Amino acid sequence: ATGSPASETWSLLSEQEQDCDTKPLPTAILVDDRDEVFARLATDIAESGLRVLRATSAMEALQLCAAHTPVLVVANVALSDQSGWLLAAKLRFVDRRTCIWLYQTQSSEHELDMVNFLNVDEVLDYRGDLLGLSGAIIDLMQNWREPEDVSSGYMELAAA
């Protein structure tokens, strides 16, 4: 976690299990300021073997990405400081390999056109149904594979 009180680390492995493993868990960053959404989705992602860090804003997400080199970023499109689309564009500028999944209540045709332009891996329209979003994340995590070497494609995030 960063020094921010909003940042949290979520992992289903006990400290003892983590100490026994020589390779650190790959990191996912979940970007949403709603506690109930974070708790539900962080559990789903952590059950797949990733360490989940929380960001409540796009700026905080960029800081966590610079510090932790995530293999996956899952973000709400409607963030308080900037859109998830802008966050995705900034992340793609510095790293082409990190998987980016965005979610929102409903996508417009214009937003769906941005998926290919920004090279966003998934866009989930959840229509306000948190359990439906959770199910979609679980399905994606079952088919998801960690990029082979994320760190070698990462440039330093300077002034995002």
Side-chain angles (χ1 to χ4, degrees):
T2 64
S4 170
S7 296
E8 299 177 31
T9 300
W10 192 271
S11 175
L12 295 180
L13 297 178
S14 69
E15 288 181 30
Q16 183 180 15
E17 289 172 312
Q18 291 178 24
D19 289 342
C20 293
D21 193 3
T22 57
K23 182 180 176 186
L25 290 174
T27 299
I29 296 177
L30 178 55
V31 192
D32 201 307
D33 62 354
R34 298 168 297 171
D35 293 336
E36 67 279 6
V37 174
F38 174 77
R40 175 71 261 152
L41 299 183
T43 300
D44 299 335
I45 296 167
E47 285 177 349
S48 296
L50 299 177
R51 176 179 67 143
V52 179
L53 301 179
R54 180 182 191 180
T56 58
S57 69
M59 184 57 73
E60 187 177 10
L62 291 169
Q63 292 168 345
L64 287 172
C65 287
H68 298 281
T69 314
V71 295
L72 175 65
V73 174
V74 180
N76 186 348
V77 169
L79 298 172
S80 59
D81 58 344
Q82 57 190 264
S83 77
W85 296 108
L86 184 55
L87 171 62
K90 290 178 179 183
L91 290 173
R92 281 296 177 241
F93 182 69
V94 295
D95 182 6
R96 305 286 303 166
R97 295 185 226 192
T98 298
C99 291
I100 300 173
W101 298 350
L102 299 178
Y103 59 90
Q104 61 186 351
T105 54
Q106 188 170 1
S107 299
S108 69
E109 188 174 323
H110 168 71
E111 290 170 320
L112 293 176
D113 290 340
M114 291 194 309
V115 171
N116 290 330
F117 179 72
L118 295 174
N119 199 21
V120 171
D121 298 286
E122 295 290 338
V123 175
L124 305 169
D125 289 338
Y126 73 102
R127 305 196 188 288
D129 176 11
L130 180 56
L131 291 178
L133 178 60
S134 172
I137 294 286
I138 290 169
D139 290 344
L140 287 170
M141 291 305 300
Q142 289 174 347
N143 297 319
W144 180 77
R145 297 194 191 283
E146 178 184 345
E148 288 185 27
D149 184 18
V150 172
S151 61
S152 67
Y154 223 87
M155 295 176 6
E156 195 162 322
L157 284 171

